[in-house]
Amino acid sequence: MILLINTDLLVIGGGPAGMTAALKAAKKGAEVIIVERYHELGGQLIKQTHRFFGSKNEQAGTRGIDIAQGLTKEIQNMSEIKVLTEATAQGYYEDKIVTVSYQNKFRKIRAKRIIIATGASEKMMLFLNNDLPGVYGAGAIQTLMNLYGILPGKKVIMVGSGNIGLIVSYQLLQAGVEVKAVIEADSEIGGYLVHASKIRRIGVPIYTGYSVKSAIGESFVKGAEIIKLDRNWQMIAGTERFIKADTICLAVGLRPLVSLLIQADCAMAYVPELGGDVPIRDENLKTTNDQIFVAGDAAGIEEATAAMLEGEIAGLKAATEIGYLSKDAITESRRLKKELRKLRNGPISRNIRKGLSKVRGDDNVKKNRYSHLR
Amino acid sequence: MVILMNEDKIVCRCEDITLKELRDMIADGYTRLDEIKRALRLGMGPCQGDICLEIAAREICRMTDKKMEDIKMPSKRPPVAGIKMSELVGDNQNEK
Ligand SMILES: Cc1cc2nc3c(=O)[nH]c(=O)nc-3n(C[C@H](O)[C@H](O)[C@H](O)COP(=O)(O)OP(=O)(O)OC[C@H]3O[C@@H](n4cnc5c(N)ncnc54)[C@H](O)[C@@H]3O)c2cc1C
Ligand code: FES
């Protein structure tokens, strides 16, 4: 017999978005279940040993891991929230039930509302020998190094100069690993200049307008051949150069994890600015499926600060819809939305704003690459 | 040492499918991802295409002059991740 559990709110994913969503709804009185596939809560935050960028209110200047621990403790003190770790949400079915594998058993959860906060997965890159041992994603390197204290190698080539590539380079340097170079296909560095200048000061060269042509080595990485790109990102023959290294770290972007949203028949839009396919939603993060909200990186690749605000907005709205009414809910929601707008106001968020303008309104639904499935 | 051609790059890690195999398929007229998925198993590995379908979609765009938003994506079905048989049918020793 497969166990069926009933609850007010089901939160899928226990990263910053899921945690703040659960807390907000529980504080309004809702009974909440969080399912998290990892063995602890925190999502990406538990790997972040650096001080966070972002807004003051959303804990900028605090280390990611400390933010995660603070939220986890708060959740543990709320009797309304039940946390299932090592629990993977496996599917959404037409009868509005979610299946979860947990402790070697398959469970069904029926919730009045669901918030999907599954975060993102890393993008891969095509180059020769990209399956050679020693080629890692940045996430795997962070897990090895920051969670288990294992060095991935001695000499690393970082591919990608966005904030993740720059921050992980710095973390590698702090751990005593030599970062041989940062390779960036674009003509400009992708991440914040503060991060870039930090690693440059240590003497790490950043090659813009370059890509990896191939990983070199027979049974493991011994280096990489990098190559210059022209304006159209085409390789320029004869510009190859070899860099010796035992590890190639890929930090070439993230893509929202949206499988469950697609299963739930939420209308999707392909929005490159947000990392790929993302659900159409309103300003409360409600998707086109009335039972389902989205929050955090699953709604579009952004930052933890934005993920936490989105979680709160969705959690608050979900609680209200379930029937936990509070007289300050409207002003509270307005305040959260204002804060989120402020956070996205700067020049750095230009792309995010452009992406977000594509996920509201019906005229964008035609970009749905899954519409043929309906 | 094995000399690899430019097209020997792995597109689908889970199912070990190369760029060459994918391009040959597209050149043969298979321009829909769900057809390619059935023929090659691309996207049918443990990650269920999270890693490779996007790259394959981009390759179809390149070879057939289409836009990313015009590429139809294969359906996503449960389960999201691998599950053990015992989870489904129950383990007699522990289950009442
Ligand atoms: C190197 C690096 C540095 C960063 N630095 C900063 C910074 O300085 N400031 C900042 O604001 N942001 C930073 N970020 C970004 C920030 O970490 C993310 O934007 C944020 O974690 C997104 O939160 P989330 O809750 O949406 O997703 P995540 O943190 O990814 O959490 C999603 C959770 O869902 C779980 N999950 C997924 N699928 C399932 C399923 N089917 N069933 C159950 N559970 C599931 C996952 O295990 C995960 O725990 C950084 C990111 C990286 C990688
Ligand atoms: S990489 Fe193709 S299915 Fe995982």
Side-chain angles (χ1 to χ4, degrees):
Chain A
M1 247 262 310
I2 296 178
L3 282 165
L4 175 69
I5 307 165
N6 283 295
T7 185
D8 284 335
L9 176 66
L10 170 64
V11 175
I12 304 176
M19 287 194 288
T20 54
L23 277 169
K24 188 51 99 189
K27 280 177 189 163
K28 298 293 167 191
E31 186 187 296
V32 185
I33 294 177
I34 305 180
V35 300
E36 165 54 53
R37 67 174 171 199
Y38 197 58
H39 63 74
E40 59 180 313
L41 293 176
Q44 287 293 323
L45 294 186
I46 51 180
K47 301 181 209 166
Q48 308 314 336
T49 48
H50 62 284
R51 289 180 201 288
F52 260 40
F53 46 82
S55 103
K56 239 284 166 24
N57 286 341
E58 299 300 318
Q59 319 201 12
T62 314
R63 294 179 201 281
I65 172 101
D66 295 333
I67 302 175
Q69 275 164 7
L71 290 170
T72 305
K73 215 171 266 158
E74 229 187 300
I75 285 170
Q76 282 161 351
N77 289 332
M78 300 280 306
S79 57
E80 291 86 351
I81 306 178
K82 190 171 174 203
V83 180
L84 308 183
T85 49
E86 289 180 76
T88 303
Q90 294 282 17
Y92 178 92
Y93 296 83
E94 276 159 22
D95 51 2
K96 296 179 180 293
I97 279 176
V98 172
T99 51
V100 176
S101 25
Y102 174 58
Q103 292 182 339
N104 270 321
K105 290 198 188 84
F106 219 52
R107 321 250 166 170
K108 295 182 185 173
I109 299 183
R110 185 193 287 133
K112 293 180 183 131
R113 289 291 180 274
I114 300 171
I115 297 176
I116 297 184
T118 42
S121 67
E122 287 182 287
K123 291 188 183 172
M124 216 234 313
M125 196 183 145
L126 288 186
F127 53 85
L128 279 178
N129 277 327
N130 59 359
D131 59 336
L132 208 59
V135 179
Y136 290 88
I141 296 234
Q142 280 207 305
T143 305
L144 278 177
M145 204 164 58
N146 299 350
L147 291 180
Y148 300 111
I150 296 167
L151 291 181
K154 295 198 174 91
K155 294 180 168 64
V156 177
I157 297 168
M158 179 65 64
V159 187
S161 74
N163 279 324
I164 295 183
L166 297 176
I167 289 169
V168 174
S169 293
Y170 190 66
Q171 291 176 351
L172 283 160
L173 291 163
Q174 284 180 314
V177 176
E178 190 183 343
V179 179
K180 301 283 293 194
V182 176
I183 314 294
E184 169 60 57
D186 206 1
S187 56
E188 279 171 44
I189 292 169
Y192 297 166
L193 284 179
V194 275
H195 295 310
S197 44
K198 225 152 84 177
I199 65 167
R200 264 198 177 133
R201 265 201 304 273
I202 299 172
V204 178
I206 301 179
Y207 294 96
T208 53
Y210 271 87
S211 187
V212 177
K213 186 179 172 194
S214 69
I216 308 291
E218 274 161 66
S219 48
F220 55 89
V221 170
K222 288 184 172 161
E225 198 172 28
I226 67 167
I227 187 162
K228 207 167 169 45
L229 302 178
D230 66 16
R231 270 207 210 127
N232 302 317
W233 288 36
Q234 298 300 312
M235 298 183 178
I236 306 172
T239 60
E240 293 90 347
R241 75 163 80 185
F242 175 75
I243 301 177
K244 203 172 160 210
D246 55 17
T247 307
I248 297 171
C249 178
L250 303 180
V252 292
L254 300 169
R255 175 180 322 103
L257 271 177
V258 291
S259 300
L260 291 166
L261 290 151
I262 293 164
Q263 288 177 19
D265 216 9
C266 302
M268 308 291 292
Y270 179 70
V271 185
E273 293 87 353
L274 299 177
D277 292 300
V278 290
I280 302 278
R281 70 277 190 165
D282 65 17
E283 56 167 6
N284 287 309
L285 284 307
K286 168 70 82 66
T287 67
T288 54
N289 177 330
D290 196 47
Q291 189 194 10
I292 297 182
F293 293 82
V294 66
D297 278 358
I301 306 305
E302 225 180 318
E303 289 164 6
T305 42
M308 287 189 274
L309 282 167
E310 286 191 340
E312 287 188 89
I313 293 168
L316 184 58
K317 184 68 179 173
T320 311
E321 287 186 358
I322 296 166
Y324 297 95
L325 306 171
S326 59
K327 51 180 190 300
D328 56 346
I330 291 175
T331 43
E332 202 178 349
S333 176
R334 213 174 275 149
R335 178 184 59 79
L336 291 167
K337 285 169 196 158
K338 195 171 150 199
E339 224 171 286
L340 190 54
R341 268 198 304 278
K342 213 168 75 194
L343 182 71
R344 290 167 171 160
N345 227 343
I348 292 165
S349 305
R350 194 178 302 125
N351 243 345
I352 297 286
R353 289 198 297 274
K354 190 172 162 210
L356 288 171
S357 70
K358 299 183 184 174
V359 295
R360 303 217 174 93
D362 298 331
D363 44 326
N364 293 313
V365 182
K366 63 174 183 291
K367 299 217 181 80
N368 190 355
R369 302 196 295 168
Y370 296 88
S371 52
H372 63 300
L373 301 174
R374 287 148 172 260
Chain B
M1 176 164 158
V2 199
I3 307 290
L4 288 172
M5 296 305 292
N6 202 26
E7 293 190 329
D8 287 338
K9 302 167 183 173
I10 301 285
V11 177
C12 175
R13 294 180 170 218
C14 298
E15 297 288 327
D16 237 359
I17 296 157
T18 63
L19 186 59
K20 176 162 174 32
E21 288 173 274
L22 173 65
R23 283 185 175 162
D24 287 351
M25 269 279 153
I26 302 172
D28 274 352
Y30 290 84
T31 55
R32 283 175 38 194
L33 273 177
D34 51 353
E35 295 172 339
I36 292 173
K37 182 173 164 181
R38 285 189 192 107
L40 278 184
R41 284 196 61 81
L42 179 136
M44 290 168 100
C47 85
Q48 288 291 292
D50 271 337
I51 296 172
C52 60
L53 284 176
E54 191 84 15
I55 297 174
R58 197 157 288 131
E59 202 53 34
I60 296 175
C61 287
R62 214 184 50 81
M63 288 179 67
T64 63
D65 222 12
K66 284 202 184 99
K67 287 209 193 91
M68 276 298 264
E69 48 258 46
D70 298 331
I71 302 291
K72 298 290 178 221
M73 301 304 280
S75 61
K76 298 262 181 195
R77 292 190 189 88
V80 168
I83 48 172
K84 294 191 198 115
M85 208 57 200
S86 64
E87 288 178 36
L88 274 181
V89 294
D91 179 348
N92 286 335
Q93 263 134 51
N94 299 324
E95 192 89 35
K96 277 188 212 124

